[in-house]
């Protein structure tokens, strides 16, 4: 029987490249599993799996127990916070990811969201469709002070775009020295100063800590516009909704919400805020180019491990853990 690759990423091989064909031509059998990684639905597939191309669903020790022959978990994307890296290392499973594959796509989407809020693009579209040609006056990005929180690949790409459009860019990243921040282009600053000084702020920090809270909003420059294409838990959504309602914040745009389901009840979905809030359903990385690159990198990782080579982008086991 040929080795089995389980694929649980919805968009894998949905671009312009035949990535399933590439795996099958290498002698691998490809089976699709649920994107939410439901154990009951996925168990039968994992029992035979040699490789797993996984999306954003959780990968726990329970999942890995069901996959005794698993050799490689290729994360289709960058973040591995949903993967139990310690359990994978203990079971001898190589974990990889696809760094940089969606950088340009997400950076462009962050800019698109920012401009959409500043110029009230969705609200204007709705009015025209209702035969209402009244005008809402917007704000220009050129000449503004823009803040970038987190200077990884995407944060740096956003910085370059903001600077090219005439912004003065400030950045904060607690993991980088001031010299490292300057080398990426923006002016280094503390988070407190960035909050006070910036007209617009784009979030590109890892999750796990709420940054935008009532204290942030109370200290922010009046009319500040926030963009979040990173993690939903960076933002206290109730506090942002209150800031928008009071006029303290000028707008909010995001590619994520804390509650991502058909029954979502986020205060940011209130109809009264619709003209100041722009939301998209995790489509920042969804360009044909990014999908092709993420998929190609995941396939390369699978083939490398299965064929006895070291993969290009292994994810290290967390420091201090034991195998």
């Amino acid at each position: 029987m040929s080795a089995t690759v389980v694929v649980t990423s919805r968009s894998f091989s949905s671009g312009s490249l035949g990535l399933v064909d590439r795996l099958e031509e290498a002698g691998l059998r490809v089976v699709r599993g649920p994107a939410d990684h439901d154990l009951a639905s996925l168990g039968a597939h994992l029992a035979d799996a040699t490789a797993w191309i996984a999306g954003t669903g959780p990968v726990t020790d329970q999942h890995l127990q069901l996959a005794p022959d698993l050799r490689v978990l290729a994360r289709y994307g960058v973040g591995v916070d949903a993967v139990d890296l310690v359990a994978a290392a203990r079971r001898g499973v190589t974990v990889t990811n696809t760094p940089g594959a969606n950088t340009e796509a997400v950076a462009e989407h962050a800019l698109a969201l920012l401009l959409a809020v500043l110029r009230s693009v969705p609200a204007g579209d709705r009015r025209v469709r209702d035969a209402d040609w009244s005008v809402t006056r917007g704000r220009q990005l050129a000449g503004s002070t823009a803040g970038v929180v987190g200077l990884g690949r995407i944060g740096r790409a956003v910085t370059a775009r903001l600077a090219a459009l005439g912004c003065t860019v400030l950045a904060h990243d607690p993991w980088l020295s001031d010299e490292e921040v300057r080398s990426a282009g923006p002016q280094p600053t503390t988070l407190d100063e960035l909050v006070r000084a910036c007209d617009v702020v784009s979030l590109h920090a890892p999750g796990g800590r709420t940054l935008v809270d009532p204290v942030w909003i109370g200290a922010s420059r009046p009319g500040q516009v926030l963009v979040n294409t990173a993690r939903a838990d960076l933002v206290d959504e109730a506090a942002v909704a209150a800031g928008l309602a009071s006029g303290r914040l000028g707008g909010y745009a995001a590619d994520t919400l804390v509650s991502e389901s058909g029954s979502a009840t986020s205060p940011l979905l209130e109809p009264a805020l619709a003209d100041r809030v722009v939301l998209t359903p995790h489509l920042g990385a969804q360009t044909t180019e990014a999908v092709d690159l993420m998929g190609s990198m995941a396939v390369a990782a699978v083939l490398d491990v299965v064929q006895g080579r070291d993969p290009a982008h292994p994810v290290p086991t967390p420091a201090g853990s034991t195998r």
Side-chain angles (χ1 to χ4, degrees), residues 77-79 98-111 148-162 173 202-205 227-231 255 284-285 294:
V78 179
T98 61
N102 61 12
T103 295
E104 301 301 316
V106 177
E108 288 184 3
H109 192 62
L111 187 61
V148 175
V149 180
L151 273 185
R153 291 180 178 86
I154 296 171
R156 291 172 189 242
V158 170
T159 292
R161 285 161 172 78
L162 292 170
D173 191 316
S202 191
L203 302 176
H204 302 285
V227 176
N228 183 12
T229 54
R231 294 288 187 267
D255 196 33
M294 282 190 291

Side-chain angles (χ1 to χ4, degrees), residues 76-166:
Y76 181 84
V78 179
V80 292
D81 46 306
V83 179
D84 188 334
L85 297 175
V86 175
R90 186 174 64 247
R91 295 176 181 281
V93 177
T94 298
V95 179
T96 67
N97 63 355
T98 61
N102 61 12
T103 295
E104 301 301 316
V106 177
E108 288 184 3
H109 192 62
L111 187 61
L113 288 173
L114 177 55
L115 291 169
V117 172
L118 288 173
R119 300 307 300 271
S120 301
V121 172
D125 177 80
R126 289 192 293 268
R127 286 198 301 275
V128 169
R129 294 176 188 278
D130 290 335
D132 177 0
W133 285 79
S134 60
V135 173
T136 298
R137 184 168 295 164
R139 292 161 53 186
Q140 293 180 185
L141 190 54
S144 66
T145 300
V148 175
V149 180
L151 273 185
R153 291 180 178 86
I154 296 171
R156 291 172 189 242
V158 170
T159 292
R161 285 161 172 78
L162 292 170
L165 289 171

Side-chain angles (χ1 to χ4, degrees), residues 2-303:
S2 61
T4 297
V5 181
V6 175
V7 176
T8 54
S9 166
R10 289 190 184 94
S11 65
F12 176 78
S13 200
S14 63
S16 64
L17 302 179
L19 298 176
V20 171
D21 293 341
R22 190 177 298 177
L23 290 168
E24 291 176 342
E25 288 166 2
L28 303 174
R29 183 173 71 97
V30 178
V31 297
R32 295 275 185 172
D36 64 359
H37 296 179
D38 175 69
L39 280 168
S41 304
L42 198 53
H45 297 318
L46 290 177
D48 298 325
T50 300
W52 182 0
I53 296 176
T56 58
V59 179
T60 67
D61 189 41
Q62 287 180 289
H63 289 89
L64 298 174
Q65 286 177 17
L66 298 176
D69 298 322
L70 191 69
R71 294 174 57 191
V72 55
L73 173 73
R75 168 74 174 86
Y76 181 84
V78 179
V80 292
D81 46 306
V83 179
D84 188 334
L85 297 175
V86 175
R90 186 174 64 247
R91 295 176 181 281
V93 177
T94 298
V95 179
T96 67
N97 63 355
T98 61
N102 61 12
T103 295
E104 301 301 316
V106 177
E108 288 184 3
H109 192 62
L111 187 61
L113 288 173
L114 177 55
L115 291 169
V117 172
L118 288 173
R119 300 307 300 271
S120 301
V121 172
D125 177 80
R126 289 192 293 268
R127 286 198 301 275
V128 169
R129 294 176 188 278
D130 290 335
D132 177 0
W133 285 79
S134 60
V135 173
T136 298
R137 184 168 295 164
R139 292 161 53 186
Q140 293 180 185
L141 190 54
S144 66
T145 300
V148 175
V149 180
L151 273 185
R153 291 180 178 86
I154 296 171
R156 291 172 189 242
V158 170
T159 292
R161 285 161 172 78
L162 292 170
L165 289 171
C167 296
T168 297
V169 186
L170 309 182
H172 173 74
D173 191 316
W175 302 104
L176 300 179
S177 67
D178 286 356
E179 292 73 19
E180 289 171 316
V181 172
R182 288 190 189 94
S183 70
Q187 301 174 23
T189 188
T190 66
L191 186 59
D192 289 344
E193 178 57 28
L194 183 147
V195 170
R196 290 192 296 267
C198 289
D199 303 294
V200 300
V201 177
S202 191
L203 302 176
H204 302 285
R209 175 190 172 197
T210 300
L211 297 179
V212 182
D213 58 11
V215 174
W216 172 307
I217 294 165
S220 65
R221 174 172 284 191
Q224 186 177 87
V225 172
L226 300 171
V227 176
N228 183 12
T229 54
R231 294 288 187 267
D233 64 0
L234 293 172
V235 171
D236 179 337
E237 293 177 0
V240 170
L244 292 166
S246 71
R248 180 75 189 189
L249 293 178
Y252 181 73
D255 196 33
T256 179
L257 287 176
V258 170
S259 176
E260 295 182 9
S261 69
S263 60
T265 57
S266 170
L268 294 170
L269 296 171
E270 287 296 321
L273 299 178
D275 286 355
R276 284 161 287 169
V277 175
V278 177
L279 300 169
T280 52
H282 263 320
L283 54 78
Q286 294 300 316
T287 65
T288 299
E289 295 85 355
V291 165
D292 282 344
L293 187 52
M294 282 190 291
S296 294
M297 293 172 73
V299 166
V302 167
L303 295 180

